[in-house]
Amino acid sequence: MKYALPPLPYEYGALEPYIDAKTMEIHYTKHHQAYVDKLNAAVEKYPELQGRPVEELLADIANLKVDEIDRTAIRNHGGGHFNHSLFWKYLDPSNKKDELMVKEIISTFGSIEDFKKQFGDSAAKLFGSGWCWLVRNGQTSKLEIKNFPNQDAPIMTGLQPIFGLDVWEHAYYLKYQNRRPEYIENWWKALKLI
Ligand code: MN3
């Protein structure tokens, strides 16, 4: 079975004015679709990998029996597919506030404002393309803020993703141009979870 774009359960304009409809449409139908297509191409030679959940491929990325060039492609495009699938889900405007998560964030980072400041600083400082994630460290069970380059997914290093911010320019350039901090500030307004 081929990998496929997950359905987007809301309109492209649903996150206006924080994320504009055109950016959403291009991000979902062009960028995410390209990760899906290139992931399918990367596993074409390996019938045993096809149909395995993408999170399994990523968690096992170092051990997959594939050519190095295909490993890199699975890492990049599989990561892109996985990360974006979560991104759309966390941004669903019908999401409710996760009170347990809010409590845990407050006990870990001091307050929601302190957390947003730390997360935003981390995302703003990320050089080039990548993601800033709130993750759970499987060994300590603690929440952590962590930047990842390119499309590297938290699960590749055993970290459980809670939610992440795409800071590739394609995620904001149409509306915000070089104003990444403004995009980050408005992204919080679109995120209903905390
Ligand atoms: Mn993106």
Side-chain angles (χ1 to χ4, degrees):
M1 204 178 73
K2 292 206 168 215
Y3 296 100
L5 210 54
L8 189 71
Y10 46 93
E11 302 289 320
Y12 298 132
L15 303 169
E16 294 267 11
Y18 311 121
I19 301 176
D20 61 290
K22 195 75 195 158
T23 295
M24 281 296 291
E25 182 181 354
I26 295 172
H27 203 172
Y28 175 74
T29 65
K30 306 287 187 207
H31 292 278
H32 191 168
Q33 184 68 59
Y35 294 122
V36 168
D37 293 344
K38 289 175 184 170
L39 173 61
N40 281 322
V43 297
E44 209 162 15
K45 287 198 292 194
Y46 311 101
E48 70 282 10
L49 298 186
Q50 294 164 18
R52 279 182 68 186
V54 67
E55 51 268 43
E56 266 185 39
L57 299 187
L58 294 170
D60 201 26
I61 190 75
N63 305 309
L64 296 179
K65 291 185 177 56
V66 295
D67 299 338
E68 287 314 307
I69 193 166
D70 297 322
R71 189 186 318 280
T72 302
I74 295 168
R75 172 181 179 159
N76 289 338
H77 303 297
H81 177 37
F82 177 80
N83 289 337
H84 286 86
S85 298
L86 292 181
F87 192 63
W88 312 130
K89 209 165 113 188
Y90 298 145
L91 284 173
D92 188 329
S94 70
N95 284 341
K96 298 271 184 301
K97 192 177 271 203
D98 183 342
E99 297 293 351
L100 277 179
M101 184 52 63
V102 168
K103 274 191 187 156
E104 192 177 352
I105 287 173
I106 292 171
S107 70
T108 306
F109 299 97
S111 70
I112 289 293
E113 284 318 304
D114 286 338
F115 165 67
K116 285 184 177 175
K117 170 97 178 55
Q118 283 182 47
F119 188 101
D121 285 350
S122 182
K125 280 186 197 135
L126 198 156
F127 183 74
S129 296
W131 291 68
C132 179
W133 284 92
L134 176 66
V135 295
R136 187 179 302 285
N137 183 316
Q139 276 161 3
T140 62
S141 293
K142 291 249 177 356
L143 296 178
E144 297 172 4
I145 296 167
K146 215 165 158 32
N147 285 347
F148 292 84
N150 307 310
Q151 293 295 351
D152 282 359
I155 46 171
M156 281 172 35
T157 47
L159 296 164
Q160 183 199 335
I162 311 289
F163 56 74
L165 172 58
D166 186 348
V167 285
W168 282 58
E169 282 188 346
H170 69 226
Y172 63 88
Y173 206 85
L174 269 184
K175 182 176 170 75
Y176 296 99
Q177 291 85 50
N178 60 334
R179 304 187 306 279
R180 189 191 280 185
E182 194 182 326
Y183 159 66
I184 296 170
E185 205 179 303
N186 280 334
W187 177 76
W188 290 121
K189 296 175 187 161
L191 186 81
K192 300 287 197 296
L193 291 173
I194 63 163

